[in-house]
Amino acid sequence: MEYNFLKISTSDAICTLAISAPKSLNALNSNILKELDDFLTNISPDIRVLIITGDGEKSFVAGADISEMQNLNEAEGFEFGRLGAQVFRKIEVLPIPVIAAVNGFALGGGCELALSCDIRIASNKAKFGQPEVGLGIIPGFSGTYRLAKIVGMGYAKEMIYTGRAIKADEALRIGLVNAVYEPEQLMEEANALAGRIVKNAPIAVRYAKVSINEEYDLAADDAIAFENKMFGKCFASKDQKEGMTAFLTKREAHFTNE
Ligand code: CO8
């Protein structure tokens, strides 16, 4: 599929995907969502970390496209929400870590896109918010589900009921982002973070992501049993032998993803 709204570059197993719809501050329309869906479905197994950002200096993603949503009926609204939610779920369960490098406005569906990523870092120019109720809708790309998981019920409800946008420093304070940088440092820091992940055993990183995601919603005994199973599976990998042998023989590990 040819991408008209995604700018993609890959280097050292780190893929950077910039959403690019400059006329609408990278607002997500159904064409962009379909391109994202196609990209996530066909992502190369050689990629070990995905970084998602927004093209240009002003916006990460300014929400779902309001002009496309304006005249939808109930069934069409349901379908649009389903498409976005399905794409964001693909990000959440992608078998590699996904970093959101939030370079500007992350509003509505843009904030929800960041929430579906594993880790969020931001420029000090970033702004986060869920302004949907001011438009007569609710966060419909799984924001009512994920925001509370990340910042807690109290902040999530305040942000969603008021629609108030928050700046990067407040996002950092409430745990919505892990770090805030000067705008010109953001992508360098995103790549450095990705690079630290890429150095590790890919299978172990993958199992760690699956474990954290799956266990979150389970009862304690089930969660611990799930981790136990995944921990055992690590010992079926060559990389476990390589990692431990490298440590014990005081050399650098060379992981082969086997
Ligand atoms: N959709 C469509 N167009 C947009 C959007 C958007 N979300 N955001 C910005 N644009 C367009 C503007 O209309 C404008 O177009 P034009 O130049 O043709 O007038 C252009 O981008 C530039 O925007 P502004 O002139 O407004 O730029 P400012 O710097 O003055 O303001 C803001 C920037 C603050 C980001 C402002 O554009 C804004 O408030 N945008 C809307 C933000 C918003 O409300 N986002 C939430 C949308 S709803 C949503 O995301 C729901 C997700 C769940 C969907 C569930 C489906 C059922």
Side-chain angles (χ1 to χ4, degrees), residues 14-19 49-54 60-61 88 91 96-106 109-123 126 128 150 176-181 186-187 189-191 193-194 197 209:
I14 300 166
C15 177
T16 302
L17 180 158
I19 293 171
V49 176
L50 173 64
I51 299 170
I52 298 181
T53 192
F60 175 69
V61 164
F88 290 7
I91 293 171
I96 54 170
V98 185
I99 299 168
V102 180
N103 53 312
F105 293 115
C111 189
E112 292 166 293
L113 171 61
L115 291 170
S116 70
C117 298
D118 293 286
I119 300 169
R120 285 153 295 286
I121 61 173
S123 126
F128 296 82
I150 291 168
L176 182 51
V177 299
N178 290 12
V180 175
Y181 301 104
L186 179 66
M187 293 317 291
E189 293 290 346
N191 273 290
L193 176 58
I197 296 170
K209 175 166 176 172

Side-chain angles (χ1 to χ4, degrees), residues 21-28 58-59 61-69 72 76-82 105 107-110 112 127 129-132 135 137-142:
K23 286 185 188 148
S24 61
L25 298 179
N26 306 330
L28 299 172
K58 195 170 167 183
S59 185
V61 164
D65 192 318
I66 298 169
S67 56
E68 185 174 341
M69 289 187 291
L72 299 184
E76 291 162 342
F78 177 87
E79 266 317 302
F80 189 58
R82 197 190 57 80
F105 293 115
L107 301 174
E112 292 166 293
K127 269 196 175 167
Q130 299 288 167
E132 284 92 341
L135 296 163
I137 58 172
I138 62 170
F141 290 164
S142 314

Side-chain angles (χ1 to χ4, degrees), residues 210-223:
V210 170
S211 299
I212 295 168
N213 278 356
E214 289 294 320
E215 291 156 22
Y216 193 91
D217 294 318
L218 294 177
D221 286 338
D222 294 335

